[in-house]
Amino acid sequence: MRIAVAGGTGVVGRHVVDIAVDQGHEVVTLARSAGVDLVTGAGLAARLDGVDVVVDVTGTREQKRAAAEDFFGGVTARLLSAEVDADVRHHVTLSIVGVDDVDTGYYAGKRRQEQVVTSGPVPWTLLRATQFHEFAEQALGFVRLGPVSLVPKMRTQPIAAQEVAQALAALALGAPAGRAADLAGPEQHDLVVLARRVAAVRRAGGRRQRVVPVGLPGSGGRAMREGALLPSSDGPRGRQTFDQWLAGA
């Protein structure tokens, strides 16, 4: 099978690429480093030639609602349009558990992405997953004031990025399935606690970073603190714990 991975150089995307290659599939990476600009569509049509399925794991640093909606909505619409022209049979999208219940800019962008996919012309599968273990380290860089990192208060049930990639690769090989069961990690945590543990590992390596918890304002921040991003029903669970990930990170 010929599989295209949009965002194939990112945290999850690079694992999807490796897994698909190991399984003997031909993989096409859709990223700037591969000559494709997903924002403008430049280089996209040529890279989709002969592709059977597209796995979309694109992301953005945009946090403002309009910018996030423009990015996810625009990139997804361009992907689907190019897929129709290339006779792609299946579009697989990664989204976020609880995205309906957190009204912040980034999550509004992901909701826009889901709307474009589910109303689009290409048969689709949508997988929502919880935050990755790497999210705790990323949170240290959200807002930095010298040696101080402001980390949002939120409940999370993190999962290994590689396990998310394995699920996406399996879905890509199957028929379009619509909304797949939500995927989450094995344990619930407070993000601030996890960020402090990552900072402690950094400190042992000579980099000092103090973590200060911040409650994000509005209904979105309250929802994050109250567990809106946790899975609300039974479903598949990852096996790697945060402790195991941190020991090998």
Side-chain angles (χ1 to χ4, degrees), residues 7-236:
T9 58
V11 173
V12 175
R14 66 177 185 269
H15 291 301
V16 176
V17 170
D18 289 344
I19 291 167
V21 169
D22 288 345
Q23 292 174 344
H25 300 289
E26 183 180 359
V27 179
V28 176
T29 299
L30 306 178
R32 283 194 177 92
S33 61
V36 178
D37 188 335
L38 293 172
V39 174
T40 66
L44 179 58
R47 295 289 284 173
L48 288 182
D49 184 39
V51 165
D52 301 293
V53 56
V54 170
V55 179
D56 182 7
V57 288
T58 52
T60 178
R61 294 180 180 272
E62 298 288 355
Q63 296 296 319
K64 293 184 178 179
R65 182 182 299 265
E69 289 181 337
D70 285 348
F71 174 84
F72 284 114
V75 164
T76 304
R78 275 181 284 277
L79 274 172
L80 294 178
S81 177
E83 288 168 27
V84 170
D85 293 340
D87 293 322
V88 174
R89 303 194 304 265
H90 188 187
H91 182 95
V92 180
T93 296
L94 176 64
S95 191
I96 305 171
V97 168
V99 72
D100 296 320
D101 301 316
V102 178
D103 193 25
T104 62
Y106 189 87
Y107 294 101
K110 293 298 289 184
R111 291 195 296 271
R112 174 67 62 83
Q113 180 185 41
E114 290 189 4
Q115 291 165 1
V116 175
V117 169
T118 57
S119 63
V122 180
W124 55 274
T125 301
L126 173 68
L127 174 66
R128 289 180 175 181
T130 52
Q131 289 72 35
F132 317 131
H133 293 318
E134 289 85 352
F135 187 69
E137 183 164 17
Q138 293 169 351
L140 293 173
F142 288 167
V143 180
R144 293 187 59 176
L145 304 172
V148 176
S149 290
L150 306 183
V151 175
K153 297 178 181 178
M154 62 176 281
R155 295 289 293 166
T156 183
Q157 193 164 330
I159 184 169
Q162 185 170 26
E163 292 179 326
V164 176
Q166 289 168 347
L168 289 168
L171 290 169
L173 298 182
R179 172 84 180 270
D182 290 355
L183 178 62
E187 301 171 335
Q188 295 184 15
H189 295 278
D190 287 314
L191 178 62
V192 170
V193 173
L194 299 186
R196 282 176 172 156
R197 294 182 59 194
V198 173
V201 171
R202 285 184 170 187
R203 191 175 301 117
R207 293 181 292 172
R208 300 187 63 82
Q209 199 71 25
R210 179 188 173 200
V211 174
V212 175
V214 176
L216 297 182
S219 61
R222 182 171 62 253
M224 293 168 69
R225 294 191 296 274
E226 293 177 352
L229 297 177
L230 300 175
S232 59
S233 60
D234 293 336

